[in-house]
Amino acid sequence: MELALRRKWTLKAHGRQQVFLKRAHESTEHVLMKAGLWALYVEDYPELHVELEIGDRYKPDVVALGSDGVPTLWGEAGKVTPAKVASLTRRYPNTKIVLAKWAMRLQPLAAVYQRARDARHTAPLCLLAFPRETASYIGPDGTFAFPQDAVEQWVL
C-alpha cells in the first residue's frame, strides 16, 4: 500500500473503519499520526471522531465527546505549543489529552508540557512518539496493527 501518493486512505482497526483525507498542505507523517491516534484509541473510545469541529477555538485531530458534549479524549498530532497545552488543560481539566510526535525523543518535551499543564488538570496528559516505520504497520487491506511496543508512550 503506497500511502504517500494517495489522497484518501481507508484504514481499519478493532473492527472499525475510518477514512483519512490527506490535504495538499499535510505531510504523510501528520496523517499517519492522526490515523495512529485513531487506531490506538478507537477501541476504548468507540465514538472517536477525526477532525471534528466541536465549537472550540481549536479543532482536535481526534476527539471523543461525552454525553454533555465535553471532550473525554482530545488528540493532537504534530506541533503543539505549550500555550495550547495550557489552554486545553485549563479548559478541560477532566479530559485525557494525547499529543503525538513523529520519530522524536519525548523526554525534552515532557518537561516543557508538564510546566505548561494547568495545575487543575487531573486527567492523563500523554505523549506518544510514532516511529518512522509507522506505515509498515498498515496491512494490505488497510488494517492498522501496532505491536505493543511500537509507539513510545509517556503519561505525565
Side-chain angles (χ1 to χ4, degrees), residues 25-39:
H25 68 278
E26 285 183 305
S27 69
T28 298
E29 293 82 6
H30 182 73
V31 180
L32 284 170
M33 285 188 289
K34 286 191 291 189
L37 284 169
W38 174 80

Side-chain angles (χ1 to χ4, degrees), residues 18-147:
Q18 177 69 44
V19 173
F20 293 85
L21 300 177
K22 183 183 177 300
R23 293 173 183 85
H25 68 278
E26 285 183 305
S27 69
T28 298
E29 293 82 6
H30 182 73
V31 180
L32 284 170
M33 285 188 289
K34 286 191 291 189
L37 284 169
W38 174 80
L40 288 171
Y41 289 99
V42 71
E43 186 173 33
D44 293 332
Y45 297 87
E47 297 303 318
L48 191 63
H49 299 277
V50 177
E51 294 187 337
L52 178 68
E53 184 66 55
I54 63 167
D56 192 272
R57 134 182 206 193
Y58 299 114
K59 182 176 172 184
D61 288 317
V62 298
V63 67
L65 300 173
S67 59
D68 57 0
V70 175
T72 56
L73 174 84
W74 183 301
E76 291 286 335
K79 293 181 182 179
V80 179
T81 66
K84 186 173 186 178
V85 169
S87 176
L88 292 174
T89 58
R90 182 185 70 253
R91 293 180 300 115
Y92 301 114
N94 302 313
T95 299
K96 180 176 185 172
I97 298 175
V98 182
L99 309 173
K101 302 298 178 184
W102 186 258
M104 67 184 326
R105 291 181 49 238
L106 296 177
Q107 185 175 4
L109 292 173
V112 170
Y113 289 141
Q114 186 63 36
R115 281 192 302 274
R117 181 184 200 173
D118 189 272
R120 295 166 293 201
H121 187 255
T122 58
L125 175 60
C126 305
L127 299 179
L128 306 181
F130 285 94
R132 292 188 196 287
E133 65 274 6
T134 294
S136 70
Y137 299 121
I138 301 173
D141 68 345
T143 299
F144 216 140
F146 287 108

Side-chain angles (χ1 to χ4, degrees), residues 1-12:
M1 176 181 235
E2 181 52 50
L3 294 175
L5 300 177
R6 296 180 59 197
R7 297 286 178 226
K8 181 177 168 183
W9 307 344
T10 302
L11 301 177
K12 303 171 191 170

